[in-house]
Amino acid sequence: QVQLVESGGGLVQGGGSLRLSCAASGSIFTIPVMAWYRQAPGKQRELVAAITSGGSTNYANSVKGRFTISRDNAKNTVYLQMNSLKPEDTAVYYCYAQRQYGLGRQDGYWGQGTQVTVSS
């Protein structure tokens, strides 16, 4: 099992910045992919950004140029730096980790979520 603990959410004015962190612990083995998702009220959960252990990244079009995902493999931690925040970025942000273990086995884990609220 893997536990994910998120931190860094909060209330910020439009145009402001926040940095989210997510630390993985437990029976990690290897985590090829870590990602951030978000879910706004009444909407489906959507991918915000993902990063591989090698540093390759992928972003949703809506956050490109404003958000930056990074990870510290030694600390099993992923970060999301969010700049130029907009009210439409308001959502619960979830950390996700894809674990690889055994021979060809993989599973996924979610954090508990952290609220990000951007005021206009």
Side-chain angles (χ1 to χ4, degrees):
Q1 296 292 316
V2 174
Q3 293 79 44
L4 301 174
V5 178
E6 301 151 346
S7 61
L11 173 64
V12 64
Q13 283 192 333
S17 298
L18 283 174
R19 189 191 194 210
L20 306 183
S21 300
C22 172
S25 62
S27 301
I28 291 175
F29 292 91
T30 63
I31 301 180
V33 178
M34 299 188 81
W36 289 97
Y37 286 74
R38 67 185 180 188
Q39 188 167 18
K43 294 188 177 181
Q44 289 189 331
R45 191 172 297 188
E46 63 175 358
L47 175 68
V48 176
I51 186 168
T52 68
S53 56
S56 296
T57 59
N58 182 41
Y59 294 93
N61 287 333
S62 59
V63 307
K64 282 181 181 177
R66 300 188 298 122
F67 291 11
T68 302
I69 189 170
S70 60
R71 66 187 282 178
D72 184 332
N73 291 328
K75 296 181 179 179
N76 294 308
T77 300
V78 64
Y79 307 95
L80 186 68
Q81 178 67 44
M82 304 185 292
N83 299 328
S84 302
L85 283 161
K86 304 175 181 180
E88 50 263 43
D89 294 318
T90 295
V92 177
Y93 283 70
Y94 296 91
C95 176
Y96 174 80
Q98 181 191 72
R99 182 182 67 156
Q100 191 167 324
Y101 66 103
L103 185 62
R105 295 185 176 185
Q106 63 182 33
D107 54 11
Y109 295 87
W110 292 94
Q112 79 282 2
T114 185
Q115 177 70 46
V116 171
T117 302
V118 184
S119 63
S120 57

